């Protein structure tokens, strides 16, 4: 009986992890799971990635998606999460323009091509609890596709970094997905600085190898990993 209880607890712990199978653009959700969002290797296990230098840190994908979602520049986006995003940590979004001659339904997103368009910062609430935007919701934090984003096909990458174990090396957990999008009505900005995945993060980055107590004592000093945000 004790053994069974242990198994059930283990199963519950796995269920507490999450994937992001549906993109929502201006309140309109992707029609079904994994139709414009590339199916991730943790679709069933829900396990995050712990080493931010592995190839899977780019899209964690086990395949491309069939469809492409139109996203007007300036749109508000988020992702539906399969479980509550219960772990503390930032949510970040990146875009990568598909090179001419390549297709958004097959391009792999390799090279220094990714611009960060959004991140989130922690707060300490009235009860002295450390909280993050969208923490404990069944969705990721909102972001805006910058109005100056040039028209064209892009990969959109969402990432939630769970920091509850992050005081140990390679124990932060990365939950992420990439979607195939077409930006319309955009501008003539130049997204950047551009980074590669893997390459953008090291296990020892101060936003990845970090103690939650340190963040709670100075939430504004938290430094999300990766480049500066491009906001258009
Ligand atoms: C997130 O975006 C949705 C849809 O645009 C909006 O209804 C909601 O109020 C936004 N939430 C926050 C916290 O800004
Ligand atoms: Cu977890």
């Amino acid at each position: 009986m004790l053994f069974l209880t242990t198994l059930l607890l283990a199963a519950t712990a796995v269920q507490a992890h999450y994937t992001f199978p549906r993109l929502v653009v201006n309140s309109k959700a992707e029609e079904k799971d994994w139709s414009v969002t590339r199916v991730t290797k943790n679709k069933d296990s829900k396990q995050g990635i712990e080493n931010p230098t592995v190839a899977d840190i780019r899209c964690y994908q086990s395949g491309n998606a069939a469809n492409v979602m139109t996203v007007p520049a300036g749109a508000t986006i988020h992702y539906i999460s399969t479980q509550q995003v219960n772990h503390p940590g930032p949510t970040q979004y990146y875009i990568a323009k598909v090179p001419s001659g390549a297709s958004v339904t097959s391009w792999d997103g390799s090279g220094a091509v990714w611009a960060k368009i959004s991140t989130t910062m922690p707060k300490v609430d009235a009860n002295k609890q450390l909280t993050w935007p969208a923490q404990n919701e069944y969705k990721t934090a909102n972001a805006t596709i910058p109005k100056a984003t040039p028209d064209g096909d892009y990969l959109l990458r969402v990432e939630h970094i769970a920091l509850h174990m992050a005081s140990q090396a390679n124990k932060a957990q990365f939950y992420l997905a990439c979607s195939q999008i077409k930006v319309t009505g955009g501008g003539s900005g130049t997204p950047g600085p551009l980074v590669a995945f893997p390459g953008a993060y090291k296990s020892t980055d101060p936003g990845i190898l970090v103690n939650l107590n340190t963040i709670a004592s100075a939430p504004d000093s938290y430094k999300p990993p990766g480049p500066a945000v491009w906001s258009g």
Side-chain angles (χ1 to χ4, degrees):
M1 200 56 203
L2 183 61
F3 179 63
L4 181 62
T5 308
T6 308
L7 279 181
L8 285 172
L9 283 174
T12 307
V14 167
Q15 287 310 309
H17 297 169
Y18 28 92
T19 58
F20 307 135
R22 266 191 220 212
L23 171 63
V24 180
V25 177
N26 287 337
S27 305
K28 185 174 181 296
E30 181 174 344
E31 276 169 28
K32 55 183 176 53
D33 289 358
W34 315 118
S35 73
V36 306
T37 300
R38 293 179 174 181
V39 63
T40 51
K41 289 182 181 172
N42 64 340
K43 174 169 92 69
D44 298 317
S45 76
K46 310 285 194 286
Q47 294 291 13
I49 295 170
E50 293 182 325
N51 180 341
T53 66
V54 298
D56 277 340
I57 200 70
R58 187 187 302 151
C59 288
Y60 209 0
Q61 68 182 69
S62 59
N64 299 323
N67 301 318
V68 182
M69 194 141 163
T70 297
V71 180
T76 300
I77 59 162
H78 69 262
Y79 281 78
I80 294 171
S81 179
T82 46
Q83 278 79 24
Q84 277 183 310
V85 181
N86 59 333
H87 291 310
T91 304
Q92 308 202 90
Y93 294 88
Y94 290 80
I95 55 172
K97 194 161 202 300
V98 179
S100 60
S103 166
V104 68
T105 55
S106 59
W107 181 54
D108 67 1
S110 59
V113 291
W114 296 92
K116 188 195 287 185
I117 57 166
S118 183
T119 191
T120 61
M121 288 291 288
K123 285 194 163 50
V124 174
D125 69 16
N127 299 320
K128 297 196 159 58
Q129 291 296 310
L130 184 67
T131 65
W132 301 74
Q135 189 172 354
N136 292 324
E137 297 185 27
Y138 286 83
K139 65 181 283 291
T140 62
N142 285 356
T144 301
I145 301 292
K147 274 218 185 286
T149 305
D151 288 359
D153 289 344
Y154 291 79
L155 290 178
L156 169 68
R157 178 179 176 281
V158 60
E159 160 185 88
H160 180 260
I161 310 176
L163 297 177
H164 56 301
M165 310 257 283
S167 59
Q168 297 166 261
N170 288 316
K171 286 294 181 190
Q173 299 166 359
F174 294 79
Y175 296 91
L176 62 107
C178 291
S179 302
Q180 302 166 180
I181 66 169
K182 177 185 287 297
V183 172
T184 60
S188 53
T190 306
L194 300 175
V195 296
F197 286 105
Y201 300 164
K202 295 191 305 292
S203 302
T204 53
D205 284 347
I208 293 177
L209 181 60
V210 62
N211 189 312
L212 283 182
N213 294 325
T214 306
I215 302 174
S217 65
D220 294 342
S221 68
Y222 177 70
K223 192 177 179 316
V229 170
W230 182 74
S231 49

